[in-house]
Amino acid sequence: MFDSEFSSIEFAGMKLANRFAVAPMTRVSAQSNGRANELMLKHYRRYAEGGFALIITEGIFPDQDASQGYENQPGLADALQGESWRPIIREVHEQGAKIIAQLMHAGAQQQYNSFGKAPLGITEQKPVGKPLGLYGDQESWQDVKAMDESDFERVLNGFLHGLRNAKEAGFDGAELHGANGYLLHEILSTHFNTRDDKWGGDMQRRAQFVLEVVKAAREMAGKDFVLGIRLSQITITDPDYQWPEGEEGFAWLVQALADAGIDYIHTTDNHANRPALKDGTRSLAEVVRDAGVPLVVNGGIDDTNYAKMAAHYPGAVLALGKAALADPQFVEKVKDGDKPDELDFAMLQPLANLENEFRWREEQDS
Ligand SMILES: Cc1cc2nc3c(=O)[nH]c(=O)nc-3n(C[C@H](O)[C@H](O)[C@H](O)COP(=O)(O)O)c2cc1C
């Protein structure tokens, strides 16, 4: 098949075997010291074996400050954590796939921090709703420390620190997590960012810190290390939030990120094609597509709609979360015309860790 979603493409400086990626998914399965382990190797390997050309890792904490959000979350905060990813990266590469590290600062959504750091936010504002039981058993959000001037510098340096370790470990690139209610998202969101100093105000002002991080990360990444950013309006507990600036504001942000040197923008929403913005008709992904910026598109993509999505977003990478979780063989199966497995959330109970998933899979097989 020529030019199909199963053909290889050049994307953001990478040659990908096809247009399917695994979306980032937190699995709280690292060692307590934040190092990746055998189980994670087994986990990531199956996606490369199952035909996914690109794996975007679960959110990884980049430093020993307030960035860690979950117990048993993997880190890239020290050299040994970086080393621990090497076997995973090697295995994924041997299967012909690429792997990008998602760098995540938990912000106000922190549920656990092994360095004893309180949640850090753009203000003291807590997220809506309750913490996710899938990632730990916290009942309510903790108090949040509002960032002062020195925190901005520390957060920026933290991202650079994680990026350097990701590069040294051999990842193909890094994705800054600016979506789903974590710190960089909070800085862009008026639910959290109500500051009246230079870090708050309209989209242009709220975006300044994110753009500073992107520019500094670009410089550190160099030319051959891919640098992406994930963006959403919604958060893990707030499916309704919208930026007040609507389509025009988002289009401005997309262009500003491109000008700052980002290689791709990864949009996520409940459904990739949903008109998302306050005063517009386009989805987040359509705005990125129309700006001509390399796009990773996520949200509700499955075996019934992937071909339509691929045609609607030419040249974009399709990132699958739940569909990949349900069936790591998704790509091989749909390519052969077979039906992939459907998701059973029982595999993520009571915690979304790999031990529970692999135990559940064994039970299904027996
Ligand atoms: C168990 C689980 C863990 C997730 N962890 C992350 C994460 O670490 N980083 C992130 O950006 N999104 C995370 N997400 C969101 C997914 O990447 C994706 O955006 C979401 O599932 C919607 O896409 P889908 O309809 O393809 O599943 C997670 C989703 C699930 C189900």
Side-chain angles (χ1 to χ4, degrees):
M1 266 186 280
F2 184 68
D3 231 16
S4 91
E5 51 278 14
F6 299 106
S7 306
S8 66
I9 54 157
E10 285 288 334
F11 180 79
M14 291 178 287
K15 185 154 174 84
L16 299 179
N18 58 52
R19 289 171 57 192
F20 292 92
V22 181
M25 281 182 282
T26 288
R27 302 308 304 271
V28 288
S29 297
Q31 290 168 227
S32 54
N33 56 17
R35 292 180 207 156
N37 53 26
E38 275 290 316
L39 204 54
M40 289 168 65
L41 173 65
K42 188 174 159 189
H43 165 61
Y44 284 113
R45 175 172 50 208
R46 61 193 171 150
Y47 289 110
E49 282 172 353
F52 285 93
L54 175 66
I55 293 168
I56 305 173
T57 69
E58 60 204 283
I60 302 174
F61 61 88
D63 66 13
Q64 298 191 352
D65 217 326
S67 60
Q68 182 181 2
Y70 301 117
E71 192 167 8
N72 296 115
Q73 183 188 0
L76 274 166
D78 66 42
L80 290 176
Q81 288 169 358
E83 286 290 314
S84 71
W85 281 97
R86 281 183 187 270
I88 298 175
I89 297 165
R90 193 165 47 238
E91 192 70 36
V92 167
H93 284 166
E94 272 172 24
Q95 300 293 333
K98 306 278 188 203
I99 181 163
I100 284 181
Q102 188 184 60
L103 299 180
M104 169 175 133
H105 190 302
Q109 274 178 179
Q110 184 203 109
Q111 293 186 213
Y112 175 91
N113 185 281
S114 59
F115 309 103
K117 299 292 163 69
L120 185 70
I122 185 70
T123 60
E124 290 177 2
Q125 178 65 49
K126 294 180 186 179
V128 302
K130 292 176 99 191
L132 293 190
L134 283 182
Y135 302 148
D137 58 5
Q138 290 76 13
E139 271 298 302
S140 52
W141 299 113
Q142 302 169 61
D143 289 340
V144 181
K145 175 188 177 294
M147 289 170 78
D148 61 28
E149 277 307 308
S150 69
D151 288 316
F152 285 94
E153 204 179 320
R154 268 214 297 283
V155 169
L156 182 121
N157 287 332
F159 273 112
L160 296 182
H161 181 78
L163 189 135
R164 188 186 307 111
N165 284 338
K167 202 174 164 187
E168 272 169 21
F171 279 102
D172 297 291
E175 175 176 289
L176 303 170
H177 197 347
N180 303 357
Y182 297 97
L183 185 66
L184 294 181
H185 174 274
E186 290 165 14
I187 293 174
L188 292 171
S189 156
T190 50
H191 170 76
F192 294 94
N193 188 348
T194 50
R195 291 174 77 116
D196 53 15
D197 62 2
K198 67 172 179 165
W199 303 113
D202 61 12
M203 176 64 95
Q204 273 87 339
R205 292 173 70 95
R206 300 196 306 280
Q208 282 319 302
F209 180 67
V210 177
L211 293 169
E212 276 184 30
V213 174
V214 169
K215 283 179 199 153
R218 175 78 279 159
E219 202 167 308
M220 173 166 286
K223 276 210 303 280
D224 299 330
F225 190 72
V226 176
L227 181 68
I229 188 164
R230 190 175 223 220
L231 297 173
S232 70
Q233 292 178 110
I234 62 173
T235 78
I236 56 173
T237 57
D238 184 357
D240 299 320
Y241 177 76
Q242 291 180 304
W243 294 306
E245 292 82 6
E247 213 171 280
E248 199 183 324
F250 184 54
W252 176 86
L253 179 63
V254 166
Q255 195 51 55
L257 287 165
D259 294 345
I262 209 77
D263 289 315
Y264 72 82
I265 294 178
H266 180 176
T267 59
T268 175
D269 206 343
N270 286 334
H271 194 281
N273 281 351
R274 172 178 85 107
L277 293 145
K278 213 159 209 155
D279 57 4
T281 53
R282 290 184 289 171
S283 67
L284 296 181
E286 285 165 349
V287 175
V288 177
R289 176 199 65 186
D290 296 349
V293 176
L295 167 71
V296 176
V297 54
N298 168 255
I301 304 175
D302 60 21
D303 59 308
T304 66
N305 63 16
Y306 71 86
K308 266 196 193 145
M309 291 289 188
H312 192 66
Y313 298 107
V317 166
L318 311 176
L320 279 57
K322 292 183 287 296
L325 200 57
D327 197 337
Q329 296 285 318
F330 179 96
V331 180
E332 287 300 324
K333 285 193 184 165
V334 295
K335 193 173 162 188
D336 292 343
D338 295 335
K339 184 88 186 148
D341 298 339
E342 280 179 17
L343 183 63
D344 184 341
F345 274 103
M347 74 168 75
L348 302 180
Q349 302 300 326
L351 273 184
N353 65 21
L354 295 173
E355 214 182 321
N356 288 336
E357 182 194 338
F358 283 119
R359 187 185 321 111
W360 179 87
R361 288 191 184 282
E362 270 171 31
E363 283 164 13
Q364 304 307 301
D365 290 344
S366 63

